[in-house]
Amino acid sequence: MMHILHVVGARPNFMKAAPVIAALGQRSSFRQTLVHTGQHYDANMSDIFFGQLGIPKADFNLEVGSGTHAQQTAQIMSRFEPVVLEQKPDLMLVYGDVNSTVAAALVCTKIGVPIGHVEAGLRSFDRTMPEEINRLLTDQMADLLFTPSSDGNENLLREGIAEEKIHLVGNVMIDTLVRLLPKANATVLRELDELAGLTRLTDSSDIGSYALVTLHRPSNVDDPDMLTRIIVTLHKISQDLPVIFPIHPRTRQRLQSLKLEADHSRLILIDPIGYLQFLALQQRARVVITDSGGIQEETTFLGIPCLTVRENTERPVTITIGTNVLVGQNMGRLKEEVDRILSEPEKKGAVPPLWDGRAGERIADVVEGWGQGNPR
Ligand code: UD1
């Protein structure tokens, strides 16, 4: 039996790992161990996702918590190394581009445990983003690189990664979305209404008349001037369209230190919400405004207009094929784009190839074949 050890740590890892764990679990040839680094630890940033996504309880929680990048990365490494030495997995799988991803990869590459990277090859070409450094380094260390779209293959080949290591499998995050969309629809509408007071604000017959916002990138929220400009603009937008903004802990802290006094009656600030709740909100939104990576992909799949408050994206297919538009950090542009969406027919996007709910299965196929070629 091949022993696979998965490492997850932060919110966006959970929806990527869930389908891979499930697909491997269907096959008798694998034994699996799950490590949670504890990078994200609040119940509404972690536990709620394990429950809603049906991820088994972690076998190990390293409880590293927050810190500077160096502290967090170093803590993960020193606490993870003994687990790897004891568990002796045949392959470690890491996901996405968070600090937990690169830290776990550094540990395994030095010990000689092969690494698979799920969501390999994405590049923003912006090395001021911590995630870009995490992506570049993890891909250099990985033995199996699973890409969501063909731009990922091109980036990796350009960086000198051997072609036989690269596998275009599609988007695992969309596996989770496809599986849980019916559940999100069925169970959470009333709850959402209570949460955000939607019917009060929008007229219950037209629950789709709101903008949904998520922002947490340091480049947007750590600079008080930028964050102030964003909030002022969201407030303007809320005059035309109620704005629902579930706030990431990082953003919440920054907002508290700003002490904004705006009249927020149509700008609804709420705590971070679960996967199903957020999916239901996305599906009904008139427009989504975000700086997240995964949400650019989810809106593309759902065909909902997305305005991304960043100068670049590592997910170019969401622009070339999907519904995404980069507005950068220009808040005038953000307001204009919202006005355009409200007045013109929407940009009709399409779904990129292999974003079909079967990426986890493809990864399981590759891992199985790889195991047969690398007997212990
Ligand atoms: C991390 C990822 C980012 C991802 C994001 C999704 C890195 C470098 N960044 O950013 O790519 O898009 O997760 O959420 O790995 N905090 C809490 N409770 C928690 C977690 C964090 O209060 O459960 C607060 C802490 O004050 C912490 C801050 O949020 O210092 C930032 O957390 P951190 O894990 O360092 O990075 P994120 O901004 O969450």
Side-chain angles (χ1 to χ4, degrees), residues 11-28:
R11 185 171 61 179
N13 289 159
F14 307 140
M15 28 302 214
K16 295 168 193 168
V20 181
I21 294 170
L24 293 173
Q26 294 287 318
R27 306 182 187 208
S28 55

Side-chain angles (χ1 to χ4, degrees), residues 185-196 207:
N185 276 323
T187 57
V188 295
L189 254 188
R190 219 193 50 220
E191 193 188 327
L192 281 176
D193 189 26
E194 285 165 15
L195 189 77
I207 208 163

Side-chain angles (χ1 to χ4, degrees), residues 129 216-223 226 291 309-310 329:
M129 273 180 91
H216 70 279
R217 295 259 160 239
S219 55
N220 282 328
V221 306
D222 284 4
D223 171 15
M226 183 63 205
D291 60 10
V309 186
R310 284 176 44 190
Q329 291 191 307

Side-chain angles (χ1 to χ4, degrees), residues 10-12 39-43 45-46 65-67 69 72 97-100 130-131 134 216-218 248-250 253 292-293:
R11 185 171 61 179
Q39 177 177 343
H40 284 175
Y41 44 85
D42 286 353
M45 296 292 286
S46 178
S66 304
H69 283 265
Q72 194 174 55
D97 56 15
V98 300
N99 285 346
S100 299
E131 293 81 3
N134 296 344
H216 70 279
R217 295 259 160 239
H248 185 283
R250 173 194 280 279
Q253 284 171 3
S292 145

